[in-house]
Amino acid sequence: MADETQVWAGGCECGGVRYEIAARPGPISFCHCGQCRRQHSHVGAYTTFPREAFRLVKDETLAWYQSSERARRGFCSRCGAGLFWDPVGEARMDVTAGSLDQPTGLRADRHIWVDFKGDYYDIGEDGLIRKTSTEPGNQSKVEP
Ligand SMILES: [Zn+2]
């Protein structure tokens, strides 16, 4: 019952964008694709949830970048925080794990797009699932 009434809130660093998710978000994915590394300075950490559970509370400084034909990325135009990965026409969307208010109560369960990872680091032995760009279960991204 707690999960049915709990709301996961979050927002950007400066407070210009705030959101709420009225359903328990899925486990966190660490995405190693080139777009995430550029947008987030390093690996992207995202959680996914039903789009219908999402509500923008404040969008004063929200801006969108169409990062591919399949998705757009939402970010704060004032503080630069990366916030949303929004796939066109899908019943779900993603928010960055780092933008969620603490405590999230969530845990990471996988690395995705590992075949696209940067050459300047190794993915440590952390026991998490690893998915390449072509494997099923690579649920947080449809293309880099
Ligand atoms: Zn901001």
Side-chain angles (χ1 to χ4, degrees):
M1 289 302 287
D3 284 354
E4 291 174 31
T5 52
Q6 191 174 349
V7 168
W8 279 259
C12 69
E13 168 61 16
C14 74
V17 183
R18 293 289 302 169
Y19 63 82
E20 288 180 352
I21 304 165
R24 186 179 183 81
I28 309 301
S29 296
F30 294 122
C31 182
H32 297 265
C33 84
Q35 288 185 357
C36 276
R37 283 186 289 103
R38 287 191 189 276
Q39 198 191 21
H40 304 300
S41 307
H42 189 41
V43 178
Y46 281 89
T47 180
T48 191
F49 49 85
R51 183 183 296 277
E52 62 186 12
F54 179 77
R55 185 170 77 89
L56 269 172
V57 175
K58 191 177 177 188
D59 64 356
E60 198 176 289
T61 56
L62 177 60
W64 292 97
Y65 168 64
Q66 193 78 37
S67 54
S68 71
E69 288 184 5
R70 308 283 299 273
R72 60 179 186 161
R73 291 170 183 257
F75 63 97
C76 176
S77 61
R78 185 164 56 200
C79 70
L83 297 165
F84 310 126
W85 187 79
D86 184 16
V88 177
E90 292 194 35
R92 53 165 250 274
M93 63 177 282
D94 293 8
V95 299
T96 51
S99 69
L100 287 163
D101 295 348
Q102 294 285 302
T104 68
L106 304 174
R107 294 293 293 176
D109 78 340
R110 69 191 60 206
H111 294 275
I112 62 171
W113 289 85
V114 297
D115 45 334
F116 280 75
K117 83 169 188 64
D119 64 1
Y120 58 91
Y121 64 94
D122 293 313
I123 302 173
E125 288 300 329
D126 52 15
L128 303 186
I129 299 162
R130 296 176 189 212
K131 297 285 186 185
T132 66
S133 56
T134 56
E135 285 179 86
N138 191 8
Q139 89 271 14
S140 282
K141 296 290 182 302
V142 285
E143 65 182 32

